[in-house]
Structure formats: C-alpha cells, structure tokens
Amino acid sequence: MSSVLYYALPALGSYAMLSIFFLRRPRLLHTPYVPAFRTRLGAHRGGSGEKLENTMEAMENSMSQRADLLELDCQLTRDGVVVVSHDENLSRQSGVNRDVSSLEFEELPLYKEELEIYFSPGQFAHGSDRHMIRLEDMFQRFPRTPMSVEVKEGNDKLIHKIASLVRHFDRNEITIWASEKSSVMRKCKAANPEMPISFTVSRSVWLLLLYYLGLLPFIPIPERFFLCFLPTIINRTYFPFSRPVLNQLAAAVSKWLIMRKSLIQHLEQRGVQVVFWCLNEESDFELAYSLGATGVMTDYPTALRRYLDNRRAAAQVS
C-alpha cells in the first residue's frame, strides 16, 4: 500500500498542478473563439418586464436601451409560420386554451392586456402592442441584431424553418441556438451547424464535472455561450421546484457549484461568453459582473442599461 501511495501521490500532485496551470492559461492549449459580438445587455423575452413579452413593442423598447442580444422562443403554427412565443399553449399569454400549432397565423389571438413577469412574481407588464409576431418580422426589423432563439421541443419542421430563415437573412454568426435538451440541440446543430450553440442542461452538468475533476483545461468546448441562471435568484425570483425545501437545497448546491470565478474566467479566456439570467435587481447585476460574467439577461433593459452606464462612468472617474 505504501509503495502505491509513493507513486500515486506525486502523480496526483503533478496532475493537480498542471490542471490549475492550464485552467488559468487555457490559450496555451486552445485557440480562443473570436466572437462576432459580445453580450453585455440581453433582453429576456424581448424585455418582458417593461412591455408585453415577445411583442415588437418590447423589442423596440429594448433596442432603445442598446440591448446587445434579444432572447426569444419560437413555436410553429398550423400553416407553418415560425412565431415568437414562449408557450405552445396560449392560456397564460392570451387566455385561450389552444396550442399555437392548432391555429393558423392569422387566427392567433392577442396577448392579454397584462402579463405577470415570471422572474418578478407579483409584478405585471403592460403594453399597447398585443400582437404575436413572426420570426421573419424580427429578422427584417433588426437585421444585424444578435438573437438567441430557444427551441423547447424536437419539432423537426420548426427547427429546419428557423435554420432556413437564419440562412436567408445571412444571420448565421449572430443567431444562437438555445435549448435545455441535448436531443433538441443535436437536431439544431444538424439543421444549421454554422450557428453558434449554447450549453444544454446535461452539457452544463458535464462542464461542471470536468471542472471539478481538473479535466476541463484539456477538453475541447464546441459551445460558444454558457447561458446559466444565477443561483442566488432561487427562492427569491426563481422557483424551479414546487417544494420550498427542494428550492433551498437547489440554491445552496448550485451556488457552491456554479459561482466559481476561476471557472467563469477560464470560459471567457476560451471565447465562451457567460451570460447569467434572469436578473432584475441591481444587486444581482453587481454579483454577476463581479464574478466575471460577459453579460446579463434581464426583463428590465432600462434598469440594466442605467446600471452599466453608471458603472462605466464610475470606472472612468477612478
């Protein structure tokens, strides 16, 4: 036993030192991605805290605050139109218990006059524009604005239509594939491999495992974006589980696992942008940027723009 330890301990020590060395200097092993854009201010559902989510009015409002990224979700209508909608079923958004896929585009109902802001429970957004819009409308109105397009289910027709629209409008480098599911992401990559991809849930778990095993510095990373929730918002604005004790446990574990400055700095040095969501309070903005995040996804683009401008002004004075 002692002879095994005699060789094992120095080997483990050398491995740990190498891992830490390359974790801090990843460019010695990997050529970093050169991003087509950088995300400081991302507008969640187009800025759903200030105007009705995913409407053109919300997008315009976010762009007036110089948003770097518009985040949206897509569904497919019965007549094959890709529309910007978070939900497949329209009950929450419009009060109509119908799926988007069961209606033609011209039959889609208006949004409700007010919608609760998911990451600000008890707060409601209003707006004069209540119309659901096509993804094509977005690409035409904001031709060079980066967008993150989330696909929730493996609908092959939807995925291929999104991929085709991105190619048609020459947006391959500035439109991100996003999905929680790796099975869906594989279909997205196959439909348009030129679009940058973000981490799925299972790939995020794999990333953390590699980090804690010390293997991350030696492994290639195909993803360009790590779109991750900020653990401190659990139990305050984000409730992933129905039971409070599970939310408390999730908050403690995820905070310990994810909020590692060395991990975020490593990803940044490799050209992987780290964007925390969905942050609606200045204290959360401050925490995210202090960890070294590239940017923040928010429902309140005006508040985040004010914070960023004040932060820049303070830095110039000092």
Side-chain angles (χ1 to χ4, degrees), residues 220-238:
I221 300 176
E223 291 86 356
R224 304 291 180 90
F225 292 86
F226 185 44
L227 308 178
C228 180
F229 70 93
L230 190 71
T232 53
I233 70 173
I234 296 179
N235 281 327
R236 189 156 46 82
T237 63
Y238 179 42

mmCIF file with all atom_site columns, all heavy atoms in Angstrom, residues 220-238:
data_model
loop_
_atom_site.group_PDB
_atom_site.id
_atom_site.type_symbol
_atom_site.label_atom_id
_atom_site.label_alt_id
_atom_site.label_comp_id
_atom_site.label_asym_id
_atom_site.label_entity_id
_atom_site.label_seq_id
_atom_site.pdbx_PDB_ins_code
_atom_site.Cartn_x
_atom_site.Cartn_y
_atom_site.Cartn_z
_atom_site.occupancy
_atom_site.B_iso_or_equiv
_atom_site.pdbx_formal_charge
_atom_site.auth_seq_id
_atom_site.auth_comp_id
_atom_site.auth_asym_id
_atom_site.auth_atom_id
_atom_site.pdbx_PDB_model_num
ATOM 1   N N   . PRO A 1 220 ? -11.837 19.972 -25.520 1.00 0.00 ? 220 PRO A N   1
ATOM 2   C CA  . PRO A 1 220 ? -12.412 20.978 -26.432 1.00 0.00 ? 220 PRO A CA  1
ATOM 3   C C   . PRO A 1 220 ? -13.841 21.336 -26.015 1.00 0.00 ? 220 PRO A C   1
ATOM 4   O O   . PRO A 1 220 ? -14.569 20.513 -25.466 1.00 0.00 ? 220 PRO A O   1
ATOM 5   C CB  . PRO A 1 220 ? -12.398 20.264 -27.789 1.00 0.00 ? 220 PRO A CB  1
ATOM 6   C CG  . PRO A 1 220 ? -11.443 19.136 -27.644 1.00 0.00 ? 220 PRO A CG  1
ATOM 7   C CD  . PRO A 1 220 ? -11.502 18.715 -26.205 1.00 0.00 ? 220 PRO A CD  1
ATOM 8   N N   . ILE A 1 221 ? -14.238 22.582 -26.274 1.00 0.00 ? 221 ILE A N   1
ATOM 9   C CA  . ILE A 1 221 ? -15.582 23.057 -25.969 1.00 0.00 ? 221 ILE A CA  1
ATOM 10  C C   . ILE A 1 221 ? -16.222 23.565 -27.255 1.00 0.00 ? 221 ILE A C   1
ATOM 11  O O   . ILE A 1 221 ? -15.798 24.594 -27.793 1.00 0.00 ? 221 ILE A O   1
ATOM 12  C CB  . ILE A 1 221 ? -15.562 24.191 -24.921 1.00 0.00 ? 221 ILE A CB  1
ATOM 13  C CG1 . ILE A 1 221 ? -14.930 23.717 -23.614 1.00 0.00 ? 221 ILE A CG1 1
ATOM 14  C CG2 . ILE A 1 221 ? -16.980 24.706 -24.666 1.00 0.00 ? 221 ILE A CG2 1
ATOM 15  C CD1 . ILE A 1 221 ? -14.785 24.827 -22.578 1.00 0.00 ? 221 ILE A CD1 1
ATOM 16  N N   . PRO A 1 222 ? -17.240 22.880 -27.772 1.00 0.00 ? 222 PRO A N   1
ATOM 17  C CA  . PRO A 1 222 ? -17.891 23.350 -29.012 1.00 0.00 ? 222 PRO A CA  1
ATOM 18  C C   . PRO A 1 222 ? -18.853 24.509 -28.791 1.00 0.00 ? 222 PRO A C   1
ATOM 19  O O   . PRO A 1 222 ? -19.139 25.266 -29.712 1.00 0.00 ? 222 PRO A O   1
ATOM 20  C CB  . PRO A 1 222 ? -18.630 22.107 -29.514 1.00 0.00 ? 222 PRO A CB  1
ATOM 21  C CG  . PRO A 1 222 ? -18.893 21.306 -28.283 1.00 0.00 ? 222 PRO A CG  1
ATOM 22  C CD  . PRO A 1 222 ? -17.731 21.556 -27.365 1.00 0.00 ? 222 PRO A CD  1
ATOM 23  N N   . GLU A 1 223 ? -19.369 24.642 -27.564 1.00 0.00 ? 223 GLU A N   1
ATOM 24  C CA  . GLU A 1 223 ? -20.330 25.709 -27.287 1.00 0.00 ? 223 GLU A CA  1
ATOM 25  C C   . GLU A 1 223 ? -19.639 27.074 -27.249 1.00 0.00 ? 223 GLU A C   1
ATOM 26  O O   . GLU A 1 223 ? -18.491 27.194 -26.819 1.00 0.00 ? 223 GLU A O   1
ATOM 27  C CB  . GLU A 1 223 ? -21.038 25.473 -25.953 1.00 0.00 ? 223 GLU A CB  1
ATOM 28  C CG  . GLU A 1 223 ? -21.979 24.286 -25.943 1.00 0.00 ? 223 GLU A CG  1
ATOM 29  C CD  . GLU A 1 223 ? -21.303 22.960 -25.613 1.00 0.00 ? 223 GLU A CD  1
ATOM 30  O OE1 . GLU A 1 223 ? -20.052 22.962 -25.465 1.00 0.00 ? 223 GLU A OE1 1
ATOM 31  O OE2 . GLU A 1 223 ? -22.001 21.947 -25.498 1.00 0.00 ? 223 GLU A OE2 1
ATOM 32  N N   . ARG A 1 224 ? -20.396 28.093 -27.659 1.00 0.00 ? 224 ARG A N   1
ATOM 33  C CA  . ARG A 1 224 ? -19.879 29.465 -27.621 1.00 0.00 ? 224 ARG A CA  1
ATOM 34  C C   . ARG A 1 224 ? -20.512 30.286 -26.511 1.00 0.00 ? 224 ARG A C   1
ATOM 35  O O   . ARG A 1 224 ? -20.027 31.376 -26.207 1.00 0.00 ? 224 ARG A O   1
ATOM 36  C CB  . ARG A 1 224 ? -20.146 30.174 -28.957 1.00 0.00 ? 224 ARG A CB  1
ATOM 37  C CG  . ARG A 1 224 ? -19.593 29.454 -30.180 1.00 0.00 ? 224 ARG A CG  1
ATOM 38  C CD  . ARG A 1 224 ? -18.089 29.467 -30.226 1.00 0.00 ? 224 ARG A CD  1
ATOM 39  N NE  . ARG A 1 224 ? -17.582 28.781 -31.400 1.00 0.00 ? 224 ARG A NE  1
ATOM 40  C CZ  . ARG A 1 224 ? -17.340 29.356 -32.571 1.00 0.00 ? 224 ARG A CZ  1
ATOM 41  N NH1 . ARG A 1 224 ? -17.581 30.640 -32.726 1.00 0.00 ? 224 ARG A NH1 1
ATOM 42  N NH2 . ARG A 1 224 ? -16.855 28.658 -33.577 1.00 0.00 ? 224 ARG A NH2 1
ATOM 43  N N   . PHE A 1 225 ? -21.615 29.762 -25.922 1.00 0.00 ? 225 PHE A N   1
ATOM 44  C CA  . PHE A 1 225 ? -22.342 30.528 -24.908 1.00 0.00 ? 225 PHE A CA  1
ATOM 45  C C   . PHE A 1 225 ? -22.732 29.620 -23.742 1.00 0.00 ? 225 PHE A C   1
ATOM 46  O O   . PHE A 1 225 ? -23.225 28.516 -23.943 1.00 0.00 ? 225 PHE A O   1
ATOM 47  C CB  . PHE A 1 225 ? -23.608 31.166 -25.501 1.00 0.00 ? 225 PHE A CB  1
ATOM 48  C CG  . PHE A 1 225 ? -23.316 32.253 -26.502 1.00 0.00 ? 225 PHE A CG  1
ATOM 49  C CD1 . PHE A 1 225 ? -23.106 31.932 -27.832 1.00 0.00 ? 225 PHE A CD1 1
ATOM 50  C CD2 . PHE A 1 225 ? -23.225 33.572 -26.116 1.00 0.00 ? 225 PHE A CD2 1
ATOM 51  C CE1 . PHE A 1 225 ? -22.810 32.914 -28.758 1.00 0.00 ? 225 PHE A CE1 1
ATOM 52  C CE2 . PHE A 1 225 ? -22.930 34.563 -27.037 1.00 0.00 ? 225 PHE A CE2 1
ATOM 53  C CZ  . PHE A 1 225 ? -22.723 34.233 -28.363 1.00 0.00 ? 225 PHE A CZ  1
ATOM 54  N N   . PHE A 1 226 ? -22.500 30.126 -22.539 1.00 0.00 ? 226 PHE A N   1
ATOM 55  C CA  . PHE A 1 226 ? -22.936 29.463 -21.315 1.00 0.00 ? 226 PHE A CA  1
ATOM 56  C C   . PHE A 1 226 ? -24.023 30.355 -20.717 1.00 0.00 ? 226 PHE A C   1
ATOM 57  O O   . PHE A 1 226 ? -23.738 31.327 -20.018 1.00 0.00 ? 226 PHE A O   1
ATOM 58  C CB  . PHE A 1 226 ? -21.766 29.299 -20.357 1.00 0.00 ? 226 PHE A CB  1
ATOM 59  C CG  . PHE A 1 226 ? -22.089 28.524 -19.101 1.00 0.00 ? 226 PHE A CG  1
ATOM 60  C CD1 . PHE A 1 226 ? -22.842 27.360 -19.151 1.00 0.00 ? 226 PHE A CD1 1
ATOM 61  C CD2 . PHE A 1 226 ? -21.623 28.954 -17.865 1.00 0.00 ? 226 PHE A CD2 1
ATOM 62  C CE1 . PHE A 1 226 ? -23.132 26.636 -17.989 1.00 0.00 ? 226 PHE A CE1 1
ATOM 63  C CE2 . PHE A 1 226 ? -21.901 28.240 -16.706 1.00 0.00 ? 226 PHE A CE2 1
ATOM 64  C CZ  . PHE A 1 226 ? -22.654 27.085 -16.767 1.00 0.00 ? 226 PHE A CZ  1
ATOM 65  N N   . LEU A 1 227 ? -25.279 30.060 -21.082 1.00 0.00 ? 227 LEU A N   1
ATOM 66  C CA  . LEU A 1 227 ? -26.428 30.825 -20.600 1.00 0.00 ? 227 LEU A CA  1
ATOM 67  C C   . LEU A 1 227 ? -26.931 30.127 -19.340 1.00 0.00 ? 227 LEU A C   1
ATOM 68  O O   . LEU A 1 227 ? -27.577 29.079 -19.411 1.00 0.00 ? 227 LEU A O   1
ATOM 69  C CB  . LEU A 1 227 ? -27.523 30.884 -21.673 1.00 0.00 ? 227 LEU A CB  1
ATOM 70  C CG  . LEU A 1 227 ? -27.073 31.354 -23.067 1.00 0.00 ? 227 LEU A CG  1
ATOM 71  C CD1 . LEU A 1 227 ? -28.241 31.314 -24.045 1.00 0.00 ? 227 LEU A CD1 1
ATOM 72  C CD2 . LEU A 1 227 ? -26.474 32.752 -23.012 1.00 0.00 ? 227 LEU A CD2 1
ATOM 73  N N   . CYS A 1 228 ? -26.642 30.702 -18.192 1.00 0.00 ? 228 CYS A N   1
ATOM 74  C CA  . CYS A 1 228 ? -26.846 29.998 -16.921 1.00 0.00 ? 228 CYS A CA  1
ATOM 75  C C   . CYS A 1 228 ? -27.618 30.873 -15.940 1.00 0.00 ? 228 CYS A C   1
ATOM 76  O O   . CYS A 1 228 ? -27.413 32.093 -15.879 1.00 0.00 ? 228 CYS A O   1
ATOM 77  C CB  . CYS A 1 228 ? -25.473 29.636 -16.336 1.00 0.00 ? 228 CYS A CB  1
ATOM 78  S SG  . CYS A 1 228 ? -25.533 28.772 -14.757 1.00 0.00 ? 228 CYS A SG  1
ATOM 79  N N   . PHE A 1 229 ? -28.509 30.257 -15.161 1.00 0.00 ? 229 PHE A N   1
ATOM 80  C CA  . PHE A 1 229 ? -29.205 31.014 -14.130 1.00 0.00 ? 229 PHE A CA  1
ATOM 81  C C   . PHE A 1 229 ? -28.220 31.367 -13.010 1.00 0.00 ? 229 PHE A C   1
ATOM 82  O O   . PHE A 1 229 ? -27.274 30.629 -12.736 1.00 0.00 ? 229 PHE A O   1
ATOM 83  C CB  . PHE A 1 229 ? -30.386 30.219 -13.570 1.00 0.00 ? 229 PHE A CB  1
ATOM 84  C CG  . PHE A 1 229 ? -29.995 29.025 -12.733 1.00 0.00 ? 229 PHE A CG  1
ATOM 85  C CD1 . PHE A 1 229 ? -29.868 29.148 -11.355 1.00 0.00 ? 229 PHE A CD1 1
ATOM 86  C CD2 . PHE A 1 229 ? -29.751 27.796 -13.316 1.00 0.00 ? 229 PHE A CD2 1
ATOM 87  C CE1 . PHE A 1 229 ? -29.502 28.053 -10.580 1.00 0.00 ? 229 PHE A CE1 1
ATOM 88  C CE2 . PHE A 1 229 ? -29.381 26.693 -12.553 1.00 0.00 ? 229 PHE A CE2 1
ATOM 89  C CZ  . PHE A 1 229 ? -29.258 26.834 -11.186 1.00 0.00 ? 229 PHE A CZ  1
ATOM 90  N N   . LEU A 1 230 ? -28.442 32.518 -12.391 1.00 0.00 ? 230 LEU A N   1
ATOM 91  C CA  . LEU A 1 230 ? -27.636 32.908 -11.236 1.00 0.00 ? 230 LEU A CA  1
ATOM 92  C C   . LEU A 1 230 ? -28.228 32.238 -9.999  1.00 0.00 ? 230 LEU A C   1
ATOM 93  O O   . LEU A 1 230 ? -29.391 32.485 -9.667  1.00 0.00 ? 230 LEU A O   1
ATOM 94  C CB  . LEU A 1 230 ? -27.640 34.436 -11.079 1.00 0.00 ? 230 LEU A CB  1
ATOM 95  C CG  . LEU A 1 230 ? -26.657 35.000 -10.051 1.00 0.00 ? 230 LEU A CG  1
ATOM 96  C CD1 . LEU A 1 230 ? -25.228 34.862 -10.550 1.00 0.00 ? 230 LEU A CD1 1
ATOM 97  C CD2 . LEU A 1 230 ? -26.975 36.456 -9.749  1.00 0.00 ? 230 LEU A CD2 1
ATOM 98  N N   . PRO A 1 231 ? -27.474 31.374 -9.317  1.00 0.00 ? 231 PRO A N   1
ATOM 99  C CA  . PRO A 1 231 ? -28.056 30.591 -8.216  1.00 0.00 ? 231 PRO A CA  1
ATOM 100 C C   . PRO A 1 231 ? -28.718 31.404 -7.124  1.00 0.00 ? 231 PRO A C   1
ATOM 101 O O   . PRO A 1 231 ? -29.678 30.944 -6.499  1.00 0.00 ? 231 PRO A O   1
ATOM 102 C CB  . PRO A 1 231 ? -26.835 29.827 -7.669  1.00 0.00 ? 231 PRO A CB  1
ATOM 103 C CG  . PRO A 1 231 ? -25.937 29.674 -8.850  1.00 0.00 ? 231 PRO A CG  1
ATOM 104 C CD  . PRO A 1 231 ? -26.092 30.961 -9.613  1.00 0.00 ? 231 PRO A CD  1
ATOM 105 N N   . THR A 1 232 ? -28.259 32.630 -6.883  1.00 0.00 ? 232 THR A N   1
ATOM 106 C CA  . THR A 1 232 ? -28.823 33.415 -5.783  1.00 0.00 ? 232 THR A CA  1
ATOM 107 C C   . THR A 1 232 ? -30.253 33.875 -6.035  1.00 0.00 ? 232 THR A C   1
ATOM 108 O O   . THR A 1 232 ? -30.915 34.366 -5.111  1.00 0.00 ? 232 THR A O   1
ATOM 109 C CB  . THR A 1 232 ? -27.944 34.651 -5.503  1.00 0.00 ? 232 THR A CB  1
ATOM 110 O OG1 . THR A 1 232 ? -27.761 35.383 -6.724  1.00 0.00 ? 232 THR A OG1 1
ATOM 111 C CG2 . THR A 1 232 ? -26.590 34.240 -4.954  1.00 0.00 ? 232 THR A CG2 1
ATOM 112 N N   . ILE A 1 233 ? -30.768 33.744 -7.270  1.00 0.00 ? 233 ILE A N   1
ATOM 113 C CA  . ILE A 1 233 ? -32.157 34.158 -7.510  1.00 0.00 ? 233 ILE A CA  1
ATOM 114 C C   . ILE A 1 233 ? -33.158 33.067 -7.120  1.00 0.00 ? 233 ILE A C   1
ATOM 115 O O   . ILE A 1 233 ? -34.356 33.322 -7.059  1.00 0.00 ? 233 ILE A O   1
ATOM 116 C CB  . ILE A 1 233 ? -32.394 34.591 -8.975  1.00 0.00 ? 233 ILE A CB  1
ATOM 117 C CG1 . ILE A 1 233 ? -32.334 33.386 -9.925  1.00 0.00 ? 233 ILE A CG1 1
ATOM 118 C CG2 . ILE A 1 233 ? -31.412 35.677 -9.384  1.00 0.00 ? 233 ILE A CG2 1
ATOM 119 C CD1 . ILE A 1 233 ? -32.728 33.716 -11.367 1.00 0.00 ? 233 ILE A CD1 1
ATOM 120 N N   . ILE A 1 234 ? -32.658 31.834 -6.862  1.00 0.00 ? 234 ILE A N   1
ATOM 121 C CA  . ILE A 1 234 ? -33.560 30.771 -6.401  1.00 0.00 ? 234 ILE A CA  1
ATOM 122 C C   . ILE A 1 234 ? -34.120 31.150 -5.027  1.00 0.00 ? 234 ILE A C   1
ATOM 123 O O   . ILE A 1 234 ? -33.406 31.674 -4.170  1.00 0.00 ? 234 ILE A O   1
ATOM 124 C CB  . ILE A 1 234 ? -32.821 29.414 -6.316  1.00 0.00 ? 234 ILE A CB  1
ATOM 125 C CG1 . ILE A 1 234 ? -32.356 28.976 -7.702  1.00 0.00 ? 234 ILE A CG1 1
ATOM 126 C CG2 . ILE A 1 234 ? -33.706 28.343 -5.705  1.00 0.00 ? 234 ILE A CG2 1
ATOM 127 C CD1 . ILE A 1 234 ? -31.591 27.661 -7.701  1.00 0.00 ? 234 ILE A CD1 1
ATOM 128 N N   . ASN A 1 235 ? -35.406 30.900 -4.849  1.00 0.00 ? 235 ASN A N   1
ATOM 129 C CA  . ASN A 1 235 ? -36.141 31.228 -3.623  1.00 0.00 ? 235 ASN A CA  1
ATOM 130 C C   . ASN A 1 235 ? -36.502 32.703 -3.529  1.00 0.00 ? 235 ASN A C   1
ATOM 131 O O   . ASN A 1 235 ? -37.166 33.110 -2.586  1.00 0.00 ? 235 ASN A O   1
ATOM 132 C CB  . ASN A 1 235 ? -35.356 30.850 -2.353  1.00 0.00 ? 235 ASN A CB  1
ATOM 133 C CG  . ASN A 1 235 ? -35.443 29.382 -2.047  1.00 0.00 ? 235 ASN A CG  1
ATOM 134 O OD1 . ASN A 1 235 ? -36.450 28.756 -2.312  1.00 0.00 ? 235 ASN A OD1 1
ATOM 135 N ND2 . ASN A 1 235 ? -34.374 28.828 -1.494  1.00 0.00 ? 235 ASN A ND2 1
ATOM 136 N N   . ARG A 1 236 ? -36.067 33.482 -4.509  1.00 0.00 ? 236 ARG A N   1
ATOM 137 C CA  . ARG A 1 236 ? -36.391 34.912 -4.474  1.00 0.00 ? 236 ARG A CA  1
ATOM 138 C C   . ARG A 1 236 ? -37.203 35.314 -5.695  1.00 0.00 ? 236 ARG A C   1
ATOM 139 O O   . ARG A 1 236 ? -38.263 35.929 -5.571  1.00 0.00 ? 236 ARG A O   1
ATOM 140 C CB  . ARG A 1 236 ? -35.089 35.723 -4.383  1.00 0.00 ? 236 ARG A CB  1
ATOM 141 C CG  . ARG A 1 236 ? -35.290 37.200 -4.125  1.00 0.00 ? 236 ARG A CG  1
ATOM 142 C CD  . ARG A 1 236 ? -34.052 37.826 -3.483  1.00 0.00 ? 236 ARG A CD  1
ATOM 143 N NE  . ARG A 1 236 ? -32.830 37.434 -4.132  1.00 0.00 ? 236 ARG A NE  1
ATOM 144 C CZ  . ARG A 1 236 ? -32.339 37.993 -5.257  1.00 0.00 ? 236 ARG A CZ  1
ATOM 145 N NH1 . ARG A 1 236 ? -33.024 38.949 -5.848  1.00 0.00 ? 236 ARG A NH1 1
ATOM 146 N NH2 . ARG A 1 236 ? -31.204 37.594 -5.783  1.00 0.00 ? 236 ARG A NH2 1
ATOM 147 N N   . THR A 1 237 ? -36.716 34.975 -6.865  1.00 0.00 ? 237 THR A N   1
ATOM 148 C CA  . THR A 1 237 ? -37.475 35.271 -8.081  1.00 0.00 ? 237 THR A CA  1
ATOM 149 C C   . THR A 1 237 ? -37.622 34.045 -8.976  1.00 0.00 ? 237 THR A C   1
ATOM 150 O O   . THR A 1 237 ? -38.325 34.099 -9.980  1.00 0.00 ? 237 THR A O   1
ATOM 151 C CB  . THR A 1 237 ? -36.793 36.389 -8.891  1.00 0.00 ? 237 THR A CB  1
ATOM 152 O OG1 . THR A 1 237 ? -35.502 35.943 -9.327  1.00 0.00 ? 237 THR A OG1 1
ATOM 153 C CG2 . THR A 1 237 ? -36.620 37.633 -8.056  1.00 0.00 ? 237 THR A CG2 1
ATOM 154 N N   . TYR A 1 238 ? -36.943 32.959 -8.627  1.00 0.00 ? 238 TYR A N   1
ATOM 155 C CA  . TYR A 1 238 ? -36.963 31.745 -9.455  1.00 0.00 ? 238 TYR A CA  1
ATOM 156 C C   . TYR A 1 238 ? -37.248 30.564 -8.558  1.00 0.00 ? 238 TYR A C   1
ATOM 157 O O   . TYR A 1 238 ? -36.534 30.334 -7.573  1.00 0.00 ? 238 TYR A O   1
ATOM 158 C CB  . TYR A 1 238 ? -35.606 31.602 -10.149 1.00 0.00 ? 238 TYR A CB  1
ATOM 159 C CG  . TYR A 1 238 ? -35.443 30.375 -11.027 1.00 0.00 ? 238 TYR A CG  1
ATOM 160 C CD1 . TYR A 1 238 ? -36.449 29.932 -11.871 1.00 0.00 ? 238 TYR A CD1 1
ATOM 161 C CD2 . TYR A 1 238 ? -34.238 29.661 -11.020 1.00 0.00 ? 238 TYR A CD2 1
ATOM 162 C CE1 . TYR A 1 238 ? -36.278 28.829 -12.680 1.00 0.00 ? 238 TYR A CE1 1
ATOM 163 C CE2 . TYR A 1 238 ? -34.056 28.556 -11.831 1.00 0.00 ? 238 TYR A CE2 1
ATOM 164 C CZ  . TYR A 1 238 ? -35.076 28.135 -12.659 1.00 0.00 ? 238 TYR A CZ  1
ATOM 165 O OH  . TYR A 1 238 ? -34.897 27.037 -13.463 1.00 0.00 ? 238 TYR A OH  1
#
